[in-house]
Amino acid sequence: MATSTSAKILYRPWGLIASMLGGLIAGQIVQLIWRKAVPGDEDHPPKPLESDYGLGQVVAAALVQGAIFAAVRALIDRGGARLFERATGEWPGE
């Protein structure tokens, strides 16, 4: 089913807000998981330019962050599209 241009335009602000909210939620989840997974006082995963960490730790942190961000974004995007469809009768994507 083709999506109308107006549905795509109307969905755009909701999609931006949902993406920002998803980023905040994903960041909190990453920090929570990192605190539980890594012993010590580290409350955030290492960034690539932090010299205190080895390459393995940096890559592992990036993999975990990427997976969590992708999953949260997919959940929020899909949920937002479903809510939009219920409200307007049109699917905002495709």
Side-chain angles (χ1 to χ4, degrees), residues 4-82:
S4 70
T5 302
S6 60
K8 288 180 182 180
I9 291 171
L10 287 172
Y11 181 73
R12 202 169 281 159
W14 164 254
L16 290 172
I17 291 168
S19 290
M20 288 189 299
L21 179 63
L24 293 173
I25 292 169
Q28 294 300 313
I29 292 170
V30 167
Q31 284 187 352
L32 179 67
I33 289 173
W34 194 259
R35 273 188 243 132
K36 302 273 185 200
V38 177
D41 296 338
E42 293 302 318
D43 63 346
H44 70 280
K47 294 175 179 57
L49 298 180
E50 291 184 31
S51 62
D52 295 340
Y53 300 95
L55 180 61
Q57 289 175 303
V58 171
V59 170
L63 287 170
V64 169
Q65 282 180 304
I68 291 171
F69 273 89
V72 169
R73 181 173 180 196
L75 288 169
I76 288 180
D77 285 350
R78 187 64 174 209
R82 286 190 187 274

